[in-house]
């Protein structure tokens, strides 16, 4: 495993390559924690480089803290710097891949870049074998026009509907399956917490919460209904 000094050395090496290429990487810094390497922030998100064995590098372009939109492995530090430069200058995901084929991306990343990730995420969840047992809840949520406008996710069998992906504070509605066809609906922000005895009722409450969040009303207007 590399030492802290080697990570600082990676930053210096990247800066030297960038200088030779005549490009600006912005504030490049060594990082540690869940991963160790070098990173730089851009207006579009963060680029992170992790050194691996045998002088290879793992490169990630991250739109959000929890979402990597493109990644790849290479032993060419010049190419790593080239990816960073193109990304900072606004290169699209396909342009990054065309110039640096080791950088891959998928349909959800493309949907984020196109500005409409929710339909793609719904489609992925609905077709996922991993979430087969959650499919009835997913299908019911997707069938409701007020719910399918939100970005969906599944956590511990609960359907989460997020107003802005990877920004829970923007507004989140959760439908939690309980025992014997009971459901709990919560909304954040807004102190909504309702337990009901049918999925239809849970969907109606969730839809009202989503409309409230879309209108910018997070006051918990449904908490006492």
């Amino acid at each position: 495993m590399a030492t802290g000094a080697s990570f600082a050395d990676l930053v210096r090496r990247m800066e030297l390559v960038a200088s030779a290429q005549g490009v600006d990487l912005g504030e490049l810094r060594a990082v540690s924690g869940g991963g160790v390497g070098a990173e730089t922030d851009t207006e579009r998100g963060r680029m992170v480089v992790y050194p691996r064995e045998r002088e290879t590098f793992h490169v990630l372009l991250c739109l959000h803290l929890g979402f990597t939109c493109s990644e790849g492995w290479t032993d060419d530090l010049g190419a790593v710097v080239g990816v960073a430069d193109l990304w900072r200058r606004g290169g699209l995901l396909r342009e990054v891949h065309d110039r640096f084929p080791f950088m891959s991306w998928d349909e959800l990343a493309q949907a984020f870049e196109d500005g409409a990730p929710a339909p793609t995420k719904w489609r992925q969840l609905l077709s996922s074998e991993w979430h087969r047992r959650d499919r009835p809840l997913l299908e019911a949520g997707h069938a409701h026009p007020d719910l399918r406008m939100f970005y969906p996710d599944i956590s511990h069998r609960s359907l989460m509907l997020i107003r802005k992906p990877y920004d829970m504070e923007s507004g989140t509605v959760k439908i939690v399956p309980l025992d014997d066809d009971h459901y709990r609906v919560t909304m954040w922000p807004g102190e909504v917490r309702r337990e009901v005895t049918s999925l239809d009722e849970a969907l109606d409450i969730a839809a009202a919460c989503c409309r409230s969040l879309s209108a910018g009303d997070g006051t918990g207007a449904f908490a006492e209904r």
Side-chain angles (χ1 to χ4, degrees):
M1 181 177 294
T3 65
S6 66
F7 301 127
D9 181 62
L10 174 61
V11 170
R12 288 193 293 270
R13 291 172 61 194
M14 290 181 64
E15 288 173 340
L16 287 173
V17 173
S19 177
Q21 293 183 1
V23 302
D24 179 13
L25 295 184
E27 182 187 353
L28 191 65
R29 57 190 177 274
V31 294
S32 61
V36 283
E39 68 178 7
T40 183
D41 291 319
T42 76
E43 293 181 356
R44 306 172 63 199
R46 181 169 298 178
M47 175 183 174
V48 187
V49 182
Y50 297 121
R52 297 305 187 211
E53 295 179 356
R54 300 177 183 176
E55 276 295 292
T56 59
F57 306 95
H58 185 195
V59 185
L60 301 96
L61 303 178
C62 307
L63 286 178
H64 305 281
L65 180 62
F67 181 70
T68 298
C69 62
S70 179
E71 66 178 323
W73 287 260
T74 181
D75 59 2
D76 183 351
L77 192 58
V80 173
V81 171
V83 170
D85 177 48
L86 182 56
W87 184 245
R88 284 177 56 81
R89 290 188 291 105
L92 301 178
L93 291 171
R94 183 172 297 279
E95 293 175 324
V96 172
H97 172 75
D98 287 347
R99 183 172 169 187
F100 304 98
F102 64 88
M103 295 296 295
S104 64
W105 88 110
D106 61 18
E107 64 170 347
L108 184 58
Q110 186 62 57
F112 268 102
E113 185 169 85
D114 294 340
T120 298
K121 184 64 174 182
W122 275 110
R123 185 170 62 253
Q124 289 182 340
L125 289 174
L126 285 165
S127 63
S128 170
E129 288 300 308
W130 181 262
H131 293 297
R132 176 186 291 181
R133 66 176 182 169
D134 304 311
R135 200 164 291 163
L137 177 57
L138 284 164
E139 289 176 342
H142 183 258
H144 201 298
D146 290 312
L147 302 186
R148 68 171 173 260
M149 298 298 292
F150 275 47
Y151 186 84
D153 206 350
I154 291 285
S155 176
H156 297 92
R157 302 210 63 194
S158 299
L159 174 59
M160 296 188 299
L161 303 161
I162 308 167
R163 186 182 178 198
K164 296 180 181 179
Y166 297 96
D167 182 4
M168 304 292 282
E169 296 298 319
S170 70
T172 303
V173 177
K174 183 184 292 188
I175 302 176
V176 184
L178 304 174
D179 294 334
D180 300 323
D181 293 324
H182 285 61
Y183 295 85
R184 179 186 302 124
V185 181
T186 62
M187 179 176 77
W188 175 263
E191 298 175 358
V192 174
R193 183 184 176 90
R194 294 281 306 278
E195 292 192 7
V196 297
T197 57
S198 74
L199 178 56
D200 286 343
E201 188 176 0
L203 293 171
D204 287 343
I205 294 171
C209 290
C210 287
R211 289 193 296 270
S212 174
L213 291 170
S214 296
D217 177 13
T219 60
F222 307 99
E224 298 181 357
R225 290 189 182 181

